[in-house]
């Protein structure tokens, strides 16, 4: 690891941590398998691919929803000092298809690549009014923009998505770049041009499995209560600032599996060996999940988990 990374507290995850999710990667133990060929006598499969940071692609092969994509990842100096320009070719190569793109909040590491992905695929960008202002700044037409204040069911092809109002977690004692946008920001933007806006926890109902995406380590208890789901994609950074974070998530949502996210830095190239964000205790996070009776599925960046539909069948 370069010396400058060590000086700012970056380190790489212990490869042995992935062994904690071996059951999720071992077909004999009921873990992910190859997707069945069309026409095979096998249940439909849902694929969840981790993009790093808080990004995910959820697809059944016919319909694809993307959450918080951020692949561009300029280095530390560029991120702090220059306008942030999406890497169009990288986005096209790694996410060739999308029907809808859901934004949990409008910080740069959650939204920068979303308008470009929508432009390439024709997908809608769905999020808060602040997220829509970002889409306008990037030149998306009105028909590809949908603002929500949350608590409404939105048809996404054969699926249904719902944003639940939430809170941004505290990082080192503070909430970075708070506020809303009421006009389009500069484009390409700098980091500080993109406040978080309304934070939304996204519930994706595929008709067989229900997936909750929590992209920042806080939430509103009354918004989550009663929304049972099978899988939670759960933010790791800042969880220590929210008492009983994992315990309360499990109490409200009763998931079978939790896929940790937002544990890796947003300045390490997406196809390089990942670095842990300073302050992330990934082993402790996995232990907390297991202590609540839930299976953690620690997933490599650009790795995937496959699940049979319906949810009670278990991982594929």
């Amino acid at each position: 690891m370069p010396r400058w990374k060590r000086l700012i507290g970056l380190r790489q995850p212990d490869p042995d941590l992935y062994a904690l999710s071996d059951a999720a990667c071992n077909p004999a133990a009921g873990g992910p398998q190859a997707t069945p060929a069309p026409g095979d006598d096998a249940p439909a499969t849902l694929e969840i691919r981790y993009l790093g940071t808080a990004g995910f692609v959820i697809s059944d092969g016919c319909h694809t929803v993307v959450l918080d994509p951020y692949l561009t990842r300029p280095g530390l100096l560029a991120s702090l000092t220059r306008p942030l320009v999406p890497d169009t070719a990288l986005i096209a190569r790694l996410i060739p298809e999308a029907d809808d793109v859901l934004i949990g909040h409008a910080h740069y590491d959650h939204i920068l690549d979303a308008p470009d992905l929508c432009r390439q695929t024709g997908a809608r960008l769905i999020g808060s009014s602040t997220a829509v202002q970002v889409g306008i700044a990037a030149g998306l037409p009105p028909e590809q923009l949908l603002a929500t204040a949350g608590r409404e069911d939105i048809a996404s092809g054969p699926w249904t998505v719902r944003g639940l109002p939430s809170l941004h977690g505290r990082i080192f004692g503070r909430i970075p770049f708070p506020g809303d946008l009421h006009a389009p920001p500069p484009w390409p933007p700098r980091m500080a041009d993109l406040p978080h806006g309304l934070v939304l926890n996204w519930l994706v109902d595929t008709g067989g499995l229900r997936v909750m995406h929590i992209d920042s380590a806080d939430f509103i208890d009354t918004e989550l209560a009663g929304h049972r789901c099978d899988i939670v994609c759960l933010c790791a950074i800042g969880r220590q600032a929210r008492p009983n974070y994992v315990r309360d998530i499990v109490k409200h949502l009763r998931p079978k599996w939790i896929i940790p996210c937002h544990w890796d830095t947003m300045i390490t190239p997406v196809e390089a060996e990942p670095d842990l964000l300073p302050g992330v205790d990934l082993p402790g996070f996995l232990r907390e999940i297991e202590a609540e009776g839930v299976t953690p599925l620690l997933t490599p960046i650009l790795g995937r988990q496959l699940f049979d539909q319906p949810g009670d069948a278990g991982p594929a």
Side-chain angles (χ1 to χ4, degrees), residues 23-111:
C25 300
N26 180 358
Q33 303 176 21
T35 304
D40 282 2
D41 185 15
T45 302
L46 187 75
E47 176 182 294
I48 300 181
R49 185 158 57 105
Y50 182 42
L51 302 176
T53 315
F56 289 90
V57 178
I58 304 176
S59 180
D60 64 0
C62 298
H63 191 71
T64 300
V65 165
V66 180
L67 297 120
D68 286 11
Y70 184 58
L71 303 174
T72 295
R73 296 176 174 233
L76 179 62
L77 183 62
S79 295
L80 292 174
T81 63
R82 301 173 192 166
L84 304 170
V85 180
D87 187 334
T88 297
L90 181 67
I91 296 165
R93 177 165 61 85
L94 294 183
I95 316 178
E97 297 179 354
D99 294 293
D100 281 319
V101 178
L102 311 181
I103 301 301
H105 67 273
H107 281 160
Y108 79 102
D109 55 323
H110 296 253
I111 200 171

Side-chain angles (χ1 to χ4, degrees), residues 50-268:
Y50 182 42
L51 302 176
T53 315
F56 289 90
V57 178
I58 304 176
S59 180
D60 64 0
C62 298
H63 191 71
T64 300
V65 165
V66 180
L67 297 120
D68 286 11
Y70 184 58
L71 303 174
T72 295
R73 296 176 174 233
L76 179 62
L77 183 62
S79 295
L80 292 174
T81 63
R82 301 173 192 166
L84 304 170
V85 180
D87 187 334
T88 297
L90 181 67
I91 296 165
R93 177 165 61 85
L94 294 183
I95 316 178
E97 297 179 354
D99 294 293
D100 281 319
V101 178
L102 311 181
I103 301 301
H105 67 273
H107 281 160
Y108 79 102
D109 55 323
H110 296 253
I111 200 171
L112 180 73
D113 290 348
D116 210 70
L117 175 60
C118 291
R119 184 180 300 108
Q120 293 181 31
T121 62
R124 295 182 297 179
L125 189 152
I126 307 176
S128 69
S129 60
T130 291
V132 166
Q133 291 294 343
V134 175
I136 294 170
L140 287 181
E143 60 269 21
Q144 283 184 260
L145 296 168
L146 179 59
T148 179
R151 306 190 190 100
E152 62 174 324
D153 288 335
I154 299 169
S156 177
W159 299 355
T160 301
V161 300
R162 172 186 283 245
L164 304 176
S166 187
L167 302 170
H168 195 284
R170 293 184 176 273
I171 310 298
F172 302 120
R174 60 183 293 271
I175 296 176
F177 306 119
D180 298 285
L181 290 173
H182 302 288
W187 198 264
R190 293 178 182 267
M191 188 186 300
D193 292 327
L194 300 177
H196 62 58
L198 173 66
V199 181
L200 295 168
N201 297 330
W202 281 102
L203 179 61
V204 180
D205 187 343
T206 71
L209 288 166
R210 289 162 62 88
V211 183
M212 182 74 77
H213 179 252
I214 297 176
D215 73 349
S216 189
D218 206 348
F219 53 88
I220 300 171
D221 290 90
T222 54
E223 297 290 347
L224 292 190
H227 289 285
R228 299 290 184 259
C229 65
D230 302 285
I231 304 158
V232 178
C233 302
L234 188 60
C235 176
I237 183 64
R239 82 181 198 284
Q240 297 92 339
R242 212 291 183 182
N244 300 316
Y245 176 59
V246 174
R247 180 178 302 173
D248 287 347
I249 287 288
V250 173
K251 177 183 71 175
H252 292 311
L253 301 177
R254 304 294 183 194
K256 298 174 183 176
W257 304 281
I258 290 178
I259 304 177
C261 67
H262 222 330
W263 48 263
D264 55 293
T265 71
M266 60 286 291
I267 59 172
T268 302

